[in-house]
């Protein structure tokens, strides 16, 4: 008996370690493909995007960082759930109209850092990159352009690199992990990723999808990819299958699929001895985003209860890959940077103290013209590289280097050649209200608020901004006045640099809302305050708004700019259509425009040349377009000038030839009228604005037009996308003084696009008016 009691424990001790080491573990990467949806419109080249997803404390960005919410979700080790934020940047954001962030292209990254940076640090979250390969195109040639998904990465490769440069310099963010938008991928893109970052998580096996109707999106093919929840090296000739590429990819799933059965299957594989790694993602703006996070946590704990021998761990994307690779290396690379100067040219030499994942370090440059780019490099020793292109020394504003070692440890190095911009916001100590009854407009504007005050003959509200610079040099000053329905008639400015005072008067028409208004360019020194005193003046009751002062050292001598696209819209065949092209000189010296012409000659340019644009001035050039066929219209306007760094500007022109039609927008002062009380809506579909009013017999809107041609007409209207508009709006058609027809429409049905109202026949020279009123109660016959 004694022998039996001794042997059994010995056998038990020999078997137990074998059982323990046969168990796999489960690494759970939970994250979000994160951008902004409010204001993003694939039908519009220039969008105005709302920051409220991040600035509003009741929205998901703030809620997901809440301690009560996050600390309730813990892994087998008691660690709260970590999130990986694959942040969108580039393309549509770059071309947005936003002036409420420093760099529109990196807007989501900036906002997440500014408003939720403390939460990111507290929970150990990872902030990285998500990219949609959008490009502006007309795929079917019908003349209607959209932000479509690019059919190949090569079409957006330059934009992708530009976005990398912007994120690195402006946000100190260079990705180590990555997810592509729509799960889109091709071999060229995968091979570019192999040169940039090690870890991708967008394998969507077994999904495959095509789309042939504009706007084209969500086109992908992962039908041949691995089904296992384990990282693999994609082939350099077929991104779907395992192969010889240096980068990694991982299968991912949308969060809502992660129910208890899904998780149990993952844990069963781990219990059989196979380590599992799963990426679960959703979108931060989704109403059920937080619910899905809790669902993932419940499912993981249910699976852990079923397989108690299996441990699971919440990881960021990079942490999970490092644990998968069983890397004990947590030391970041050390970067040494030196300059190579030849005359006015500047290049750089980079040395790294260990092998890196990238074939060459990533080196980004920003110039005083606010252009970002990556510079190519060549290897000169095993761990030393030099840029193969140089930059004019006077043009360099900033540069940065990023490297990632073979284990995913990451390092960046920054160097500035011109100081940072200086901003004085309404919430900063340098802001002072001198007179007037001011109040706060929350969640909008620079810093998530701005101030406004009533202005009239009896009251002229005043405000003062005072700024100090850290380095001597030449600076340009700008003010941002938020848009309002009732802007003041004029703004009187007193600008002082120490004892030097400059007075100026800006007519209200020249104070463009939500845009940077240029003030002056002057030399500034540390310790000598620069101040702007602004007073709003009005003959009737108006509103004066105040937000932020900007001082920038990115002063240009000459810098001619123009729209990067002219969308002429619908064009009537056989008629001449006038459009304007606004050229701006953002330099402190005049620019002479030598010529403006179109490549095909289908666009005629009005006025003679040369013409001179003064410092910070504008030149509005009229062009005439006459389409001759019902088809997509394309041409290019080419402008030449004496701007030495931007001597030739090309402006693509797009449009669509159509039969005769009339469009009357709410911004058309000759064709649109209102009665009662109306306001600007946050939503818009056609044009830049839309209007709304409360249901009332006193509120109506009238769209009027004069018809140059007789015929049978379809009458349609666009109501911005909504669910709470009038369920019974009355549309009354009048021809001259004669009431011709009426129709009642639920404005929520089909909102966001053209909705057919009625058909009618008109004579040449008819004056037509459609009046809209709410008819919910009483019923109007």
């Amino acid at each position: 008996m004694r022998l039996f009691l001794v042997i059994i424990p010995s056998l038990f001790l020999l078997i137990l370690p074998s059982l323990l080491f046969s168990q796999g573990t489960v690494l759970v990467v939970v994250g979000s493909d994160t951008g902004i949806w409010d204001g993003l419109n694939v039908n519009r080249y220039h969008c105005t995007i709302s920051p409220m997803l991040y600035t509003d404390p009741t929205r998901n960005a703030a809620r997901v960082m809440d301690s009560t919410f996050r600390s309730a979700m813990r892994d087998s080790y008691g660690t709260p759930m970590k999130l990986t934020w694959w942040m969108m940047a580039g393309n549509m954001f770059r071309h947005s109209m936003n002036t409420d962030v420093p760099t529109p292209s990196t807007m989501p990254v900036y906002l997440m850092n500014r408003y939720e940076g403390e939460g990111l640090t507290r929970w150990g979250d990872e902030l990285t990159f998500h990219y949609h390969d959008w490009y502006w195109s007309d795929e079917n040639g019908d003349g209607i352009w959209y932000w479509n998904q690019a059919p190949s990465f090569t079409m957006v490769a330059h934009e992708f690199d530009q976005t990398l440069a912007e994120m690195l310099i402006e946000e100190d963010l260079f990705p180590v992990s990555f997810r592509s938008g729509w799960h889109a991928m091709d071999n060229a893109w995968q091979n570019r990723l192999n040169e940039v970052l090690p870890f991708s998580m967008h394998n969507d096996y077994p999904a495959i999808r095509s789309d042939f109707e504009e706007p084209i999106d969500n086109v992908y093919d992962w039908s041949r990819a691995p089904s296992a929840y384990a990282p693999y090296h994609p082939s350099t000739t077929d991104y779907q299958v395992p192969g010889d590429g240096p980068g990694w990819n991982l299968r991912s799933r949308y969060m809502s699929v992660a129910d208890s059965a899904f998780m149990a299957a993952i844990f069963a594989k781990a219990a059989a001895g196979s380590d599992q790694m799963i990426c679960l993602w959703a979108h931060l703006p989704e109403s059920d985003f937080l619910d899905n996070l809790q669902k993932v946590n419940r499912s993981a704990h249910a699976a852990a209860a079923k397989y108690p021998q299996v441990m699971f761990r919440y990881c960021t994307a990079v942490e999970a890959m490092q644990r998968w690779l069983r890397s004990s290396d947590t030391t970041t690379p050390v970067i040494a940077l030196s300059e190579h100067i030849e005359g006015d040219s500047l290049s750089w030499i980079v040395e790294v103290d260990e092998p890196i994942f990238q074939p060459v370090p990533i080196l980004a440059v920003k110039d005083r013209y606010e252009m970002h780019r990556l510079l190519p490099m060549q290897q000169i020793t095993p761990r030393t590289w030099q840029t193969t292109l140089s930059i004019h020394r006077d043009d360099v504003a900033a540069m940065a280097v990023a490297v990632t070692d073979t284990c995913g440890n990451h390092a960046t190095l920054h160097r500035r050649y011109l100081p940072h911009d200086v901003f004085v916001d309404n919430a900063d100590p340098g802001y002072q209200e001198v007179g007037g009854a001011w109040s706060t407009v929350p969640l909008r504007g620079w810093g998530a608020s701005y101030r406004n005050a009533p202005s009239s003959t009896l009251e002229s509200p005043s405000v003062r901004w005072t700024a100090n610079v850290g380095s001597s040099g030449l600076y340009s000053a700008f003010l941002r006045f938020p848009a309002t329905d009732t802007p003041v008639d004029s703004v009187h400015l007193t600008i002082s640099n120490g004892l030097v005072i400059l007075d100026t008067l800006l007519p209200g028409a020249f104070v463009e809302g939500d845009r940077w208004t240029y003030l002056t360019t002057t030399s500034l020194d540390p310790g000598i305050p620069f101040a702007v005193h602004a007073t709003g003046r009005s003959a009737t009751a108006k509103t004066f708004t105040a937000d932020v002062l900007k001082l920038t050292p990115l002063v240009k001598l000459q810098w001619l700019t123009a729209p990067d696209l002219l969308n002429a819209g619908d064009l009537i065949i056989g008629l001449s259509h006038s459009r304007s092209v606004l050229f701006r000189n953002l330099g402190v010296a005049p620019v002479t425009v030598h010529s403006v012409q179109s490549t095909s000659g289908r666009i005629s340019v009005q006025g003679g040349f040369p013409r001179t644009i003064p410092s910070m001035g504008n030149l509005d050039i009229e062009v005439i377009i006459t389409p001759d066929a019902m088809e997509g219209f394309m041409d290019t306007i080419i402008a030449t000038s004496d701007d030495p760094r931007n001597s030739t500007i090309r402006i693509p022109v797009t449009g669509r030839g159509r039969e005769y039609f009339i469009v009357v927008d709410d911004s058309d002062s000759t064709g649109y009228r209102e009665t009662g009380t109306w306001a600007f809506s946050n939503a818009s579909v056609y044009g830049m604005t839309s209007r709304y009013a409360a249901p009332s017999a006193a509120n109506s809107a009238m769209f009027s037009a004069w018809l140059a041609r007789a015929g049978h007409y379809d009458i349609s209207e666009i109501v911005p996308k909504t669910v709470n508009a009038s369920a019974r709006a009355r549309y009354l058609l009048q021809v001259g003084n004669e009431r011709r027809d009426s129709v009642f429409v639920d404005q929520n049905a089909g909102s966001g696009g053209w909705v057919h109202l009625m058909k009618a026949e008109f004579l040449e020279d008819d004056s037509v008016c459609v009046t809209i009123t709410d008819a919910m109660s009483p019923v109007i016959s």
Side-chain angles (χ1 to χ4, degrees), residues 37 44 62 112 153 181 278 286 369 402 430 457 526 579 616 706 742:
W37 295 350
R44 179 168 294 158
M112 180 65 92
F153 173 72
I278 176 64
E286 291 168 336
Y369 302 94
T457 54
R579 299 290 187 269
M616 295 293 176
W706 170 81
S742 64

Side-chain angles (χ1 to χ4, degrees), residues 196-210:
V196 173
L197 56 90
F199 308 138
S200 294
M201 299 187 175
H202 42 236
N203 168 12
D204 196 31
Y205 173 85
I208 181 170
R209 186 178 185 275
S210 298

Side-chain angles (χ1 to χ4, degrees), residues 399-423:
M399 59 84 62
V401 181
V403 296
T404 307
D405 69 16
T406 55
C407 298
N409 299 304
H410 179 62
T412 62
L413 185 150
H414 291 257
R415 182 170 294 178
R416 295 205 65 86
Y417 293 82
L418 292 174
H420 288 283
D421 291 348
V422 175
F423 296 97

Side-chain angles (χ1 to χ4, degrees), residues 153 185-196 234-239 244-246 359:
F153 173 72
M185 190 50 50
D186 60 19
N187 292 332
W189 197 350
Q190 180 58 61
N191 288 331
R192 180 57 178 145
L193 294 177
N194 288 340
E195 299 172 336
V196 173
S235 166
T236 55
T237 58
D238 185 349
Y239 68 92
D244 57 342

